[in-house]
Every structure is written in structure tokens, then in C-alpha cells.
Amino acid sequence: MRLEDYSYIYFLGIGGIGMSAIARWFNARKLPVWGYDKTRTPLTEALEQEGIRVHYTDDVNQLPQEVLANKETTLVVLTPAIPAEHTEWAYLKEQGYTIKKRSEVLGIITGSAYTVAVAGTHGKTTTSSIVTHLLHEGGVDCSAFLGGIATNLNSNLLIGKGTAEKETIVVEADEYDRSFLTLYPDIAIVTSADPDHLDIYGDKEEMIRTFQKFISQVKPGGYLILHSATDPRLLEKVQDGVRVIRYSLNEGEGHVQQLEIQGYSFCFDAETPFGNIARLVLGLPGYHNVENALAALVAGQIMGVSEDRLREALASYRGVKRRFEVVYEGQGKVYIDDYAHHPKEIDAFMTSLRAIYPDKKLTVVFQPHLFSRTRDFATEFALSLSAADELIMLDIYPAREKPIEGVTSEMILGLVNGPKKRLLHKEDVAAYLAENIDFEVLATVGAGDIDTLVKPIKNILENN
């Protein structure tokens, strides 16, 4: 299919972070864009302010007249999170509209571009946003579709100026629902391939096979930048002519030297096959983020960005919303919000917190994401969260899932080996913290709607 054959674009699930980036892309091309989402959020409100019309009721009568009158030239973009019983989706299918998943549309958009795709069960949003920033600030004209709101851009979308002969696109390659198999990158970064989304894959082996398939789609003459700790079987399907660069803090062709923590900044030297870069400063805390930056630096070198411009660009990188985001600091207290929702991510987050605040009392508010993930990794979650001095556990955020009998937050809480732990409803957290404000470092952690607590908690701290 050709996107230029469509004049009207309708999104089912427009408020998702990946869906909204594509909606913004079409909107920037002056096409009429509409969308449905079940919940009004700051992101959907931002889309409305940009001229995109959004409604929040699953009702065929809410479909725009232009969409109803122009079936042949309307493209419907679908997120996998839309349930099978959705009324609008059923109607549009029955009427024969062209319906494509978000990943399929992204594959079409990137099909003729020089594509840098960042995959991995952890770190892909941060890494893809660093790549985007390094290229953008380093003089490479590029577009980018990101899975988070990059602070430097205040958006999840960057649109290039169109000055290059061939467009360069940076894209987050999502493994959920095998979405990344629509991409054929020139440069692929794989940050991790730990078991996740077992509701989709069934087991780790199938997930490894799917990552192998993604890796096999790197174009001949391209590059695979692969974390050294990933399963070695990922390399079995690399095409001839693809150069593999392994990286990590301490191992691989790409690694780090002279790593120091200075406040929230991590300072280091990067050694890579394309030249060493000394005196780098990353203002985003975390050992895992140093590794993410290292992979992005290698991609920047491949794309021809000079050492000096890479150094300057990395120093000016300001992170992604909800990725180790320092919300408040003052009066002896620090409040950090983070999107971590897998045990490995929580491990990395907690390790970095302890490195920065070794002697501080740490209170963590955690919201599990998905019943299936809670069931599959309850023991691992408990081990990661046991590093907190106080743990406040919220109910599971279901997202796209129906409840699973016997799977609750108590599965994790009962296994946590920590000095103080409790279960609270999300609505009760702010009041509890207002009465128990003796913490020194507070973190809200999770991928559901726990971010709705950020403003109330910040207000408590500012007015304490």
C-alpha cells in the first residue's frame, strides 16, 4: 500500500505513546487526523491542542463524517491494545476500511529511509532518544519516532528538514506483539532480550527466535550494535555483510573507562571500534543509562558525527519524561519518577539510586503492570524491590488484560524481604505520604497510571 493514496487518517487508541507519534506525523503533513482513546490524558490533550480531534467514548456515532463518507481514502491505524469487542473497530472492519496496525504503518513510513532501529526489552526509549539527540545536534538531518516524551524535544516525534538525499529515521523497535518485524534497519541496536511479554510469546525460546528474526532483517552492509549480556543465540541469524559491535560497561568492542559519579552526572570515557571519546558527561543518572549512551555514541560515530559534536550533544541531553526524572529536590528530600516495570529495569534503577544516595532512606511506591507479568515474575519483582527501606505496593494496572484468578499485588508483596512494606490503593498514597514524610529519597515506579501521582506528591513536598 502507499500512504499517499489516503487523505483521511483515523486512530483507534490515539493516546498511546507510539500511536500519538504517528498521529503527529500525519498531522504535520496537513492531513485530517481524528482518533479515539478510552482516557483523556495530558498527551491526548496535547494532541487536541495541535489540532487533532479526539473523542473518548466507543461509539460509532462519534466517527467523523469525513471518515464515514470517504471509505476508500481513509486509513485506520490500530493499536494492539484495542479489545476485540470494541464497537468502532468492529464497524470499520465490517464496512471494509483499510485497517493497519501501528507497526505496519511505521514499517511503511521507514521503508525507503535509512533506518536506525532500537530494540530491547529495556532501554529502547532512552537509547533511541539519545541517538536522536546526538544525530540532531550533530548535524545529521533526521526524523524520529520515540516511545517517550524526550525532554529536549518536548515531544515523541522529530520531523527532519528534508535536506538529505535519503531520509534518516530513528525509530523505537517495539518487541510487543512482534511489532518490530515490520522494520528493516540499516543500523539496529539491541539493548536487551530478557524474557518479557510472555502473554504474547509463551516462553523465552519463542522470544529469542523473534529477536533473531528482527536481527536477520538488518540490511547487508548494515550494523548490529548488541549488548554483550544478551543471549549469544541472537547472533545465529545475522546476515553476511552485517558488522556486529558488542558493547557494555566493561566488555565488548564498545566499553567504558574512568567512570565517575558526580551528583546526578555520570562521567566517563568511551572506547569503541570507531575511535575513543574522552571526557563524556551524561546528565541522566544510572549505570544502565551509561550503557544506553554508549550504544547511541557508536551509532553516532557510524553516522559520521564528530567526536567533539558527540561530546557536546551528550552533555546537553536532558532525558525522557519518566526515565529517572528528578521531580523535586529540596529540604533534604529528593523525589524521582521512573517508568521501570520489569524486574531487570527495577534492579538497574535501584542500583543507581543506591550509588547516588548510599546512606539515604529510600521509599518506593510501585505499581505492577499487567497481571501476566506479575504472575510470571513475582519472585524477581520481590527480590528487586527488597532493596527499598519502605515499599508501598499499589494494585496491578491491567492495561489491555483481563484479571487472572489469584494474581494480585500481594503475590509480590508477600515475597518482599524489606523492613517496611504495605499495600495501598493509588487514591490513598498522597494522604499517606503527607502523614509519613520522614523519607529522604522517594521514588514512584511503574508503567501504568502511577504518573497521576506525580503532581499531588510534588505539591505535598513543595508545601511541606
Side-chain angles (χ1 to χ4, degrees):
M1 63 171 286
R2 302 187 317 157
L3 293 180
E4 52 266 36
D5 293 337
Y6 297 90
S7 303
Y8 305 93
I9 316 296
Y10 186 71
F11 284 79
L12 287 169
I14 196 168
I17 195 70
M19 290 282 279
S20 59
I22 298 176
R24 282 172 158 156
W25 186 85
F26 280 113
N27 192 50
R29 279 157 174 71
K30 309 301 182 185
L31 288 172
V33 178
W34 300 265
Y36 156 84
D37 207 274
K38 67 177 181 179
T39 307
R40 183 184 298 274
T41 65
L43 184 49
T44 60
E45 289 173 355
L47 296 179
E48 291 182 81
Q49 291 167 7
E50 294 164 22
I52 296 172
R53 284 151 286 184
V54 184
H55 67 270
Y56 302 92
T57 305
D58 176 18
D59 181 358
V60 172
N61 294 320
Q62 296 274 0
L63 291 170
Q65 287 303 311
E66 293 90 336
V67 167
L68 295 172
N70 296 279
K71 181 174 70 175
E72 300 302 323
T73 55
T74 293
L75 173 63
V76 179
V77 186
L78 174 74
T79 173
I82 290 290
E85 63 271 17
H86 195 271
T87 305
E88 291 184 21
W89 183 19
Y91 174 82
L92 293 166
K93 279 192 294 186
E94 180 184 307
Q95 296 299 313
Y97 280 79
T98 300
I99 303 175
K100 295 292 181 182
K101 288 184 179 180
R102 174 188 61 84
S103 57
E104 294 176 289
V105 176
L106 200 54
I108 295 166
I109 291 171
T110 60
S112 60
Y114 187 96
T115 303
V116 183
V118 183
T121 43
H122 335 294
K124 55 183 173 287
T125 298
T126 298
T127 305
S128 56
S129 71
I130 300 175
V131 172
T132 300
H133 186 71
L134 296 183
L135 296 183
H136 183 58
E137 294 297 311
V140 177
D141 184 20
C142 66
S143 298
F145 294 84
L146 305 175
I149 303 298
T151 302
N152 293 86
L153 300 173
N154 195 32
S155 181
N156 52 355
L157 175 71
L158 172 68
I159 295 182
K161 299 175 183 176
T163 57
E165 184 175 328
K166 185 174 186 180
E167 185 177 16
T168 295
I169 297 180
V170 181
V171 61
E172 183 168 325
D174 188 3
E175 77 280 357
Y176 174 70
D177 199 33
R178 299 176 173 83
S179 294
F180 59 178
L181 296 184
T182 64
L183 302 172
Y184 292 81
D186 297 272
I187 300 174
I189 298 174
V190 178
T191 62
S192 52
D194 295 311
D196 198 9
H197 301 302
L198 298 185
D199 55 321
I200 297 295
Y201 291 107
D203 57 31
K204 176 184 176 180
E205 299 306 309
E206 176 60 21
M207 202 187 78
I208 291 295
R209 285 191 288 272
T210 307
F211 267 87
Q212 288 176 329
K213 173 64 173 158
F214 169 71
I215 286 171
S216 76
Q217 294 176 183
V218 179
K219 296 173 187 172
Y223 298 84
L224 170 63
I225 305 168
L226 182 68
H227 194 284
S228 297
T230 52
D231 193 312
R233 291 176 294 170
L234 293 185
L235 291 170
E236 292 177 2
K237 302 298 183 181
V238 176
Q239 287 201 57
D240 291 341
V242 172
R243 179 167 179 182
V244 178
I245 298 103
R246 305 295 294 267
Y247 76 94
S248 70
L249 281 183
N250 303 309
E251 298 178 357
E253 292 180 86
H255 59 273
V256 168
Q257 298 281 7
Q258 308 298 323
L259 178 60
E260 297 179 1
I261 300 174
Q262 297 179 5
Y264 289 121
S265 295
F266 279 56
C267 308
F268 60 98
D269 298 343
E271 298 194 5
T272 85
F274 305 105
N276 301 337
I277 311 174
R279 305 183 312 280
L280 290 159
V281 178
L282 175 66
L284 179 66
Y287 296 108
H288 56 300
N289 287 322
V290 174
E291 292 188 321
N292 294 336
L294 180 60
L297 287 162
V298 172
Q301 289 177 312
I302 293 169
M303 297 291 291
V305 182
S306 70
E307 175 184 338
D308 288 343
R309 296 191 80 166
L310 287 172
R311 186 183 297 107
E312 292 169 7
L314 190 66
S316 67
Y317 175 72
R318 294 293 172 259
V320 180
K321 297 291 185 184
R322 302 214 64 230
R323 270 65 173 187
F324 216 112
E325 182 179 3
V326 179
V327 178
Y328 173 87
E329 185 171 16
Q331 305 180 70
K333 299 185 186 302
V334 177
Y335 170 34
I336 295 167
D337 183 46
D338 195 87
Y339 188 73
H341 55 282
H342 184 281
K344 290 283 189 180
E345 295 169 345
I346 296 170
D347 270 339
F349 177 68
M350 299 291 276
T351 299
S352 298
L353 271 182
R354 286 301 188 193
I356 298 168
Y357 307 107
D359 303 314
K360 301 290 188 181
K361 179 184 177 184
L362 174 59
T363 297
V364 173
V365 184
F366 176 61
Q367 182 187 51
H369 185 262
L370 297 178
F371 294 100
S372 59
R373 187 180 282 125
T374 303
R375 175 198 62 200
D376 295 336
F377 301 109
T379 302
E380 292 86 346
F381 274 123
L383 188 62
S384 302
L385 293 164
S386 293
D389 296 301
E390 178 178 8
L391 174 65
I392 300 169
M393 181 77 71
L394 306 186
D395 296 322
I396 297 170
Y397 184 79
R400 57 189 177 268
E401 290 186 338
K402 303 291 186 184
I404 298 174
E405 186 176 353
V407 177
T408 66
S409 294
E410 284 91 334
M411 285 184 69
I412 299 172
L413 194 66
L415 298 171
V416 169
N417 180 23
K420 193 174 181 181
K421 59 184 182 179
R422 69 180 61 244
L423 180 68
L424 287 179
H425 296 301
K426 182 166 65 75
E427 295 74 17
D428 300 327
V429 170
Y432 173 81
L433 292 174
E435 295 175 5
N436 298 270
I437 202 141
D438 61 334
F439 56 82
E440 295 172 294
V441 178
L442 172 68
T444 45
V445 181
D449 62 357
I450 191 172
D451 59 324
T452 60
L453 292 175
V454 172
K455 284 185 179 179
I457 293 173
K458 184 181 180 184
N459 289 338
I460 290 170
L461 292 169
E462 287 177 339
N463 297 312
N464 180 45

